[in-house]
Amino acid sequence: MRILVTGAAGFIGATTAELMLSRGHEVIALDNLIAGRRENVPSEATFIEGDCGDMALVSSLGSFDACVHFAGLIEPRVSMETPERFFENNVASSLRLLDALIQSGVERFVFSSSCAVYGNQSEMPIDEDRPIDPLSPYGQSKRMVEEAMGWLSRLGRMRTASLRYFNAAGGTLAHPERHVPETHLIPLALEVAARQLDHLEIYGTDYPTPDGTCVRDYIHVSDLAEAHLSAIEALAEHRELTLNLGSASGSSNRQVVETVQRITGKDLNVRYVARRSGDPAAAIASNDRARKVLNWRPEHSELETIVADAWAARSVWAGHRA
Ligand SMILES: NC(=O)c1ccc[n+]([C@@H]2O[C@H](COP(=O)([O-])OP(=O)(O)OC[C@H]3O[C@@H](n4cnc5c(N)ncnc54)[C@H](O)[C@@H]3O)[C@@H](O)[C@H]2O)c1
């Protein structure tokens, strides 16, 4: 297949592009590098530097069998400060991308949505039929694109899949997790283990969870990448899909700290501080629907494997940097 991958210079997009290439697909990688790195883009992909909302540019690329749309700003807390940037970059650009793709006759569209659309749910695990209640412009931006996609699917304009990731993590030797800025717990903990960061802050020890710290569902980026390929295939049969992508198991912040200490053999300087507003106590996916519809299951998403792979990937990258 000839596949357009937006955001292919980022963490999940680059990993998925690599997998697509290894399966014999042609990848056109589109990224404006606002947060990605040129060197992340696999060398066998055709790289186009530009904005996914540039309709003239997207139209000039010809047609595709599918588009997988990873491009976006990803930080919910930043979206509380500059919501307009998130609505422009994540919503307006996505709508222009969809328009250009429809005009080029592209029939399959897979979108990086997020568990942020669910907001704060009290019952775990969270399935796809739970009420939608985003707590940030980031989560709202994902929901707005999902809704537009739903109409496009139902009106026969294209086939669409919204994949709601929980916490993407892990990494491959080619693509460690390195966001700008980095706010995710595992890469930050590894920075502390590598003595590149002085300490790790854990927000809140009084949540109604077994050890009092927040619980999250970590899904290995390699499992996410496989699910995207399966979703493209599944759109041959389905006009519209909405699927959670998670491991269906929760890890607390304390468990992450302990696992990082065990895998790296380093003691972490951890400061347990007050809760931050807006952090749900727990977020754990039900992944039953994805398992059934995609014939997919997470293979690498045990916390031990995620941390070990993230540490190995980080070490290779740090070695290159040294
Ligand atoms: N990382 C997670 O845990 C997580 C969880 C849920 C959803 N997601 C979603 O998955 C997607 C990928 O996340 P990631 O972790 O790889 O982030 P990332 O920041 O590493 O990658 C995003 C990429 O998109 C590019 N980009 C942003 N806006 C663009 C635009 N308008 N045009 C072209 N390129 C643009 C950036 O330069 C970057 O390379 C995002 O849409 C994010 O919201 C991520």
Side-chain angles (χ1 to χ4, degrees), residues 10-12 31-32 34-36 51-52 70 72 89 113 138 142 168 179:
F11 174 48
I12 310 171
D31 200 299
N32 63 6
I34 50 170
D51 197 286
C52 65
F70 295 99
N89 194 71
S113 188
Y138 168 73
K142 295 293 182 188
H179 292 109

Side-chain angles (χ1 to χ4, degrees), residues 6-14 30-37 40 50-53 69-75 89-90 93 111-116 138 142 163-169 177-180 184 224:
T6 75
F11 174 48
I12 310 171
L30 175 62
D31 200 299
N32 63 6
L33 302 181
I34 50 170
R37 293 175 174 83
N40 275 353
D51 197 286
C52 65
H69 180 36
F70 295 99
L73 297 171
I74 70 162
E75 188 42 57
N89 194 71
N90 290 8
S93 287
F111 174 56
S112 299
S113 188
S114 165
C115 64
Y138 168 73
K142 295 293 182 188
L163 304 183
R164 294 177 178 163
Y165 320 155
F166 280 61
N167 289 61
E177 183 174 11
R178 298 184 283 160
H179 292 109
V180 193
H184 293 177
L224 285 180

Side-chain angles (χ1 to χ4, degrees), residues 180-227:
V180 193
E182 190 54 82
T183 59
H184 293 177
L185 181 61
I186 294 173
L188 286 175
L190 295 176
E191 286 291 288
V192 176
R195 308 294 183 240
Q196 298 292 314
L197 190 65
D198 175 63
H199 66 277
L200 181 68
E201 289 192 340
I202 299 287
Y203 301 99
T205 53
D206 57 351
Y207 284 97
T209 58
D211 67 20
T213 62
C214 288
V215 169
R216 295 289 179 269
D217 180 331
Y218 293 94
I219 177 86
H220 197 296
V221 66
S222 300
D223 287 329
L224 285 180
E226 285 287 353

Side-chain angles (χ1 to χ4, degrees), residues 171-176 309 312-313 316-317:
T172 60
L173 294 184
H175 302 294
D309 287 0
V316 168
W317 159 62

Side-chain angles (χ1 to χ4, degrees), residues 270-287:
V270 182
R271 292 189 194 157
Y272 291 94
V273 297
R275 289 184 186 198
R276 295 185 299 197
S277 65
D279 282 340
I284 303 172
S286 159
N287 61 17

